[in-house]
Amino acid sequence: VRLDASRAAAIAPGQAVDVVLDHAKGALTGEVAEIAQAIDPTAHAFTIKIDLPTDAQVRSGMFGRARFPGRPRRLITVPLTSITRNGQLTRVFVVDHDDTARARLVRLGSEANGGVEIFAGLEPGERVVVGPPPTLRDGAPVNAHHADGARP
């Protein structure tokens, strides 16, 4: 798993970690086997290897989540359908107070459950366009609605 740099200092080999696999009920208890010496510079995260019990029935490609002890971390996430790419640039469209679309460059983190973590480029509470059409441009007026169809 990847663990952000701010939390990696509190993790040590041999430490017990709860692991939840999507296909299993309940959590397994794993053990931190290895912490990578180098940080991933794009994600600002360390790779942590976790040994699971031999009877865990885990197969290659299965998805799971590790729960490390410590304070919960607040995340900004958006639906994957909000992300647009233009060459090397990754962005979302934010809806400003005048219902105008503003292109915002973002730095992405981990993906899970149809969403993606935003490391940089958005502030909590900002409204993003979900599934922007390819013709949407910075400064274009938008008709903003909540996910439930109500006007904001």
Side-chain angles (χ1 to χ4, degrees), residues 39-124:
I39 189 170
D40 176 345
T42 58
H44 301 283
F46 286 92
T47 298
I48 310 290
K49 293 184 181 180
I50 301 170
D51 286 337
L52 297 176
T54 56
D55 62 349
Q57 299 180 1
V58 178
R59 294 199 169 118
S60 179
M62 289 181 171
F63 184 80
R65 292 175 187 82
R67 295 182 184 160
F68 292 94
R71 277 187 34 224
R73 183 174 68 118
R74 295 192 57 107
L75 304 175
I76 296 176
T77 61
V78 298
L80 281 169
T81 58
S82 298
I83 304 299
T84 62
R85 299 182 199 288
N86 187 2
Q88 296 287 331
L89 301 177
T90 305
R91 67 183 179 182
V92 297
F93 283 96
V94 174
V95 180
D96 71 11
H97 63 283
D98 292 328
D99 287 345
T100 302
R102 298 293 176 196
R104 186 80 61 81
L105 296 177
V106 292
R107 189 166 30 127
L108 304 181
S110 301
E111 296 179 16
N113 300 324
V116 62
E117 180 180 0
I118 303 295
F119 280 141
L122 285 180
E123 295 296 324

Side-chain angles (χ1 to χ4, degrees), residues 15 17 19 28-34 48-54:
Q15 182 173 349
V17 177
V19 177
L28 303 168
T29 300
E31 184 177 293
V32 174
E34 182 181 337
I48 310 290
K49 293 184 181 180
I50 301 170
D51 286 337
L52 297 176
T54 56

